Amino acid sequence: MIDLSKTAPGLVSLAKTAAVSLQKHGLGNERAAVYLVLDHSGSMHPYYQSGAVQHLAEQALGLSANLDDDGSVPLIYFGSRVDQPEDVRLDSYTGVINRTHPHVAWGSTNYQAAISYVLAEHAASGATDPALVIFQTDGEPDSRDAAEAALRAASKAPLFFAFVGFGHNIRFLSTLDDLPGRAVDNASFFHARDPLTVSDADLYDGITSQYGAWLTAARAAGIIRQH
């Protein structure tokens, strides 16, 4: 775990809360690259204005501080297409959403493009640790079939998708948790209906509760390389 007391004191509380969730689910000694994938469709505008998305970025960084040592979470926006303008970093996380998202076009909700992008990005990085992908959205995908096919394809790779649904229109998103036809169950779902009222502990539990079972299954299937 990174010592945040000097580098990012504002994240100390979040990192400690994340550590409790990780320990609770037997993940205290695990390593992972954390990615943050954010919906940038028009319906998301209120969540960007309210600071809910910025808070999620900080929560992701607090989790990453326990799982990774590079002090950075790749920040990926998706609408009709995918943009990756800047990472969320310990030395520049304050205001990172307001600094970056105005330069990203509002679009539709192309889950397939976002899932495929992260899959390719992690493969190209040469990382040996698995990836925990926090994938946030508030709506239906452009294509259900394409989204399902992308998640099935990703199930053969060392990536776990923790889907986080904002608002009310998340019926399809919740079905991805039990999607048939995957190599292993590589997804979970957490409903943050009103994200600014959900506790940090509940969010972290929602993200981490099924991650350990995926690690076990993915190792048994040879999807995660043993060190």
Side-chain angles (χ1 to χ4, degrees), residues 70-117:
D70 67 356
S72 178
V73 172
L75 172 61
I76 297 160
Y77 291 103
F78 76 100
S80 308
R81 60 187 181 87
V82 178
D83 288 275
Q84 188 180 350
E86 181 180 331
D87 290 349
V88 184
R89 300 187 56 83
L90 292 176
D91 58 3
S92 61
Y93 71 88
T94 303
V96 66
I97 298 301
N98 283 340
R99 190 165 64 247
T100 56
H101 96 87
H103 303 289
V104 177
W106 296 104
S108 56
T109 320
N110 191 340
Y111 287 24
Q112 179 273 325
I115 293 170
S116 299
Y117 182 90

Side-chain angles (χ1 to χ4, degrees), residues 134-171:
I134 301 170
F135 189 110
Q136 179 278 322
T137 182
D138 76 334
E140 295 276 311
D142 294 354
S143 166
R144 291 185 174 204
D145 288 345
E148 291 174 349
L151 190 61
R152 288 189 182 103
S155 72
K156 302 180 184 71
L159 281 79
F160 181 83
F161 288 83
F163 290 107
V164 177
F166 283 8
H168 304 279
N169 189 24
I170 45 70
R171 186 175 300 168

Side-chain angles (χ1 to χ4, degrees), residues 10-144:
L11 292 178
V12 168
S13 177
L14 282 173
K16 286 182 177 178
T17 304
V20 170
S21 285
L22 290 167
Q23 291 286 350
K24 184 191 302 185
H25 297 110
L27 300 167
N29 296 317
E30 295 293 345
R31 309 287 295 162
V34 177
Y35 290 79
L36 179 61
V37 180
L38 297 174
D39 184 343
H40 205 261
S41 58
S43 59
M44 279 291 299
H45 194 265
Y47 297 111
Y48 283 91
Q49 281 194 313
S50 69
V53 180
Q54 173 66 33
H55 187 54
L56 183 62
E58 293 169 7
Q59 290 167 319
L61 196 54
L63 180 62
S64 176
N66 289 275
L67 292 169
D68 204 350
D69 59 4
D70 67 356
S72 178
V73 172
L75 172 61
I76 297 160
Y77 291 103
F78 76 100
S80 308
R81 60 187 181 87
V82 178
D83 288 275
Q84 188 180 350
E86 181 180 331
D87 290 349
V88 184
R89 300 187 56 83
L90 292 176
D91 58 3
S92 61
Y93 71 88
T94 303
V96 66
I97 298 301
N98 283 340
R99 190 165 64 247
T100 56
H101 96 87
H103 303 289
V104 177
W106 296 104
S108 56
T109 320
N110 191 340
Y111 287 24
Q112 179 273 325
I115 293 170
S116 299
Y117 182 90
V118 180
L119 184 61
E121 191 74 6
H122 187 255
S125 74
T128 56
D129 290 328
L132 174 53
V133 183
I134 301 170
F135 189 110
Q136 179 278 322
T137 182
D138 76 334
E140 295 276 311
D142 294 354
S143 166
R144 291 185 174 204

